[in-house]
Amino acid sequence: MPIIDIHIHLSDIESFHHTARELSGVDYSVAGLQSEFERNDVILGVGMGVQEQTKGAFPDKDALNPMRLDLADPMPPFLMECVGINPVQLAGSDGLQQLDAIEKRLASRNVAGIKLYAGYYHYYVTDPIYGAVYELAKQYDLPVVIHTGDTYSIDGLLKYSHPLTVDELAYQQRGVRFMLCHLGDPWVMDAAEVVAKNPNVFADLSGLVVGDRLKFDRFMNEPLFMDHFRRALVYADNYEKMLFGTDWPLAPIDVYIDFVKHLIPEKHQDNVFYNNALRVFPKIAQFLAER
Ligand SMILES: [Zn+2]
């Protein structure tokens, strides 16, 4: 079964290097990703752009827009990008110039969407600072991918990353497709409701466990842990709106595929692992046809 991994990273972020080294044991490089993709029939990955100007600063207020996959230059043919937005810089004196730089990048063939780091940056997704970004999303027919749930940094603020914040945004911006990252974990029931209620909201299943095979085995053998996600998926009852992603390098690809297969009924796996990505991210089909 061919797979699209809708959520990976390939940016020079100290905490990702550390996680790869100490927790997941993956080779955090283009070559490392390519070999894991090849072994697991993953035909395309979508990288979430993010950058730090100073080592360890993520979420870095000083990172310039658009934030990119700075470990993947040039971009390999098995990768597309969601352009990362830093709202702090957008609000600064140089904001309009950076908005221009974002728009230039959006026109590229290997850009699949736009990524907001809610929680990491202390702005609600309904903050007017993002208005121009949603206009661009509409204009270029690109989905806006939003971090929701726990933050992978003690400097995040959870009130900004709660999945319920996206309900109001989805209502205000019916012409834009949104994808909640991590199913809003730990608020997975709230995320399931936002997905079920709003026709323009989808969710990815990435980053639900961070670590290596040993760690995954421990959690996959804990029914309370698995049922936490199953309850939300059963409640949403819409496997056409759930997308497979790993959040690599936070976990090895093969281990994460096993994990998601345990959560998704077999008859829905083609949709979750492949078809839904094409529906939410129209530029993927175009990219695959042309490469
Ligand atoms: Zn991520």
Side-chain angles (χ1 to χ4, degrees), residues 160-174:
Y160 298 110
S161 61
H162 196 288
L164 269 184
T165 59
V166 181
D167 181 44
E168 189 172 359
L169 176 65
Y171 165 77
Q172 291 171 351
Q173 300 283 348
R174 286 291 184 219

Side-chain angles (χ1 to χ4, degrees), residues 5-17:
D5 184 340
I6 210 68
H7 187 142
I8 65 111
H9 293 276
L10 209 47
S11 293
D12 193 11
I13 300 290
E14 185 50 30
S15 74
F16 293 163
H17 287 295

Side-chain angles (χ1 to χ4, degrees), residues 89-234:
Q89 287 292 320
L90 223 45
S93 56
D94 195 29
L96 282 178
Q97 237 170 307
Q98 293 193 32
L99 195 64
D100 273 352
I102 291 167
E103 182 168 8
K104 276 203 186 74
R105 180 70 192 130
L106 293 185
S108 307
R109 53 184 280 284
N110 52 13
V111 166
I114 299 171
K115 171 75 189 277
L116 305 186
Y117 291 85
Y120 293 100
Y121 293 114
H122 301 170
Y123 290 80
Y124 284 110
V125 289
T126 45
D127 192 289
I129 193 66
Y130 289 126
V133 173
Y134 302 138
E135 285 309 309
L136 288 175
K138 238 180 289 182
Q139 193 181 329
Y140 288 86
D141 192 24
L142 296 169
V144 176
V145 174
I146 300 175
H147 173 84
T148 56
D150 183 30
T151 53
Y152 204 57
S153 158
I154 60 167
D155 296 325
L157 281 180
L158 301 173
K159 67 174 179 178
Y160 298 110
S161 61
H162 196 288
L164 269 184
T165 59
V166 181
D167 181 44
E168 189 172 359
L169 176 65
Y171 165 77
Q172 291 171 351
Q173 300 283 348
R174 286 291 184 219
V176 179
R177 288 181 307 285
F178 298 99
M179 184 175 81
L180 307 177
C181 299
H182 324 302
L183 196 58
D185 189 40
W187 301 291
V188 292
M189 282 299 280
D190 304 66
E193 167 58 14
V194 175
V195 169
K197 173 190 170 249
N198 293 291
N200 53 333
V201 179
F202 304 79
D204 84 30
L205 304 175
S206 72
L208 302 177
V209 184
V210 174
D212 58 8
R213 169 80 67 182
L214 215 64
K215 171 96 176 270
F216 273 75
D217 281 347
R218 188 157 68 79
F219 277 91
M220 284 164 68
N221 285 314
E222 172 50 78
L224 284 174
F225 182 81
M226 297 303 277
D227 288 351
H228 163 71
F229 301 112
R230 283 195 187 109
R231 183 172 295 114
L233 292 167
V234 168

